[in-house]
Amino acid sequence: MVLFIGELRNATTETVLYGCFGLALAFTIAAIAGFLCEILMASRSIRLEVGHQQDTAVAAAD
């Protein structure tokens, strides 16, 4: 829809298009950063849980 509005060839519209594109890039980078943070937290949690289960298994075997 923004591209359709851009067909008006207005200087103000050009500014809006560049602004929307910049915001889209910023939101994409923020989404990737959030995904990375979530993956790092999940991997740490999984490693801690596996370590705890291994410790429990070793203690039960003794």
Side-chain angles (χ1 to χ4, degrees), residues 24-56:
L25 288 176
F27 286 137
T28 301
I29 292 169
I32 292 171
F35 178 73
L36 176 65
C37 182
E38 178 183 1
I39 292 299
L40 291 174
M41 289 189 311
S43 67
R44 180 182 168 133
S45 174
I46 289 170
R47 280 186 264 129
L48 288 173
E49 183 66 28
V50 169
H52 177 68
Q53 288 178 358
Q54 287 176 348
D55 292 343
T56 304

